[in-house]
Amino acid sequence: MRRKQVGFVAALFAVGVIALTACGQGAATSGSASPAPEQAQSAENPEPETDAQSGVDFLRGTANSNKADQNTGDRAPESASTEVRQKWVELRAGNAGGLEPAVVNGKGLSVYWFSDDPVNGGVSNCNGECAKTWPPITVTKGTRLFLPGIRRENIGFIKRLDGQFQVTIGGRPVYLFNKDKKAGDILGQNVGGKWFVINPEGKRAVPKAEAPKPNQPAPDTKPANSVTFFSGKNLKDFGDSFAVGVKVEAKCADLRGGFQSLSPDGAVKIWSEPGCKGKSAVVSGPVDDTSAAPIGFPDGVKSYIRA
């Protein structure tokens, strides 16, 4: 019995040492960068937030950065069951056929809203045959929902006539268009004068030339809560590129390496050097390969802070 007690105390002591070490690594002095181990933990093993209404789990980062099964969710075959397709859903801020910021799904397909649906009305007026042409984006309990570049507060759910929960952005139910087959297609834009590509706030997505430029965030833009950084250009997180989803706070944080594009859910200030030094810019929307050059970060973004 005494031997078991000694072993138990030793185990507790070991756990205490590990906990103290973790606390020491997590601490950051004023004006210093958050250490890489803490960032990696938040990106690779984020703690999900579960929605009380739908049972959906919200996670930072992208489907790829969270190692979602590529044969399920948004990338499942068209013949896959609803259960398989609802394993995960990604709604990210990006570029849809020149519209930016626009919302696309995990396969890069454009996401739309329907003007016959009342905003915050809690109903969808696209059912039956309409829903075959315009498949609603639905979720169920346990669905993993990734939202790079979209604020959590802009996401909601309604219950459809068939009992499924449909995602809303800015109070608008969202859909895909069955004629869009590849990333960048916007064949559903302005169909019947009632269907439009949606932006991360639930409004009509506009051509990129009309969007705010770096250092000129849109009026009344809120500070970012989270941002997804991409090692490759054009918000690419597959192949030889990867993504990191992080929480944005009012203290400088470093990135491990330089990142060539990003998608924040609000205003974030970025720097060309660690420790929030070097060249800087304030952005509030996706920054891809075409907008990174004016910022002038040839080696990518290396640190950031809430703007």
Side-chain angles (χ1 to χ4, degrees), residues 198-260:
I198 199 165
N199 76 5
E201 296 180 353
K203 301 176 183 178
R204 189 183 304 190
V206 298
K208 186 173 180 177
E210 301 175 26
K213 293 179 174 54
N215 284 319
Q216 297 177 359
D220 302 322
T221 298
K222 297 179 180 180
N225 288 320
S226 65
V227 58
T228 300
F229 291 96
F230 300 84
S231 65
K233 298 180 178 180
N234 203 26
L235 310 179
K236 179 183 176 185
D237 68 335
F238 53 88
D240 57 354
S241 300
F242 63 93
V244 174
V246 297
K247 182 178 181 180
V248 184
E249 299 180 344
K251 61 179 180 180
C252 181
D254 282 353
L255 291 162
R256 290 183 287 185
F259 287 76
Q260 298 296 327

Side-chain angles (χ1 to χ4, degrees), residues 60-80:
R60 286 196 297 274
T62 66
N64 282 359
S65 68
N66 284 278
K67 298 179 174 60
D69 186 342
Q70 299 300 294
N71 296 313
T72 65
D74 290 350
R75 296 175 191 167
E78 292 185 8
S79 59

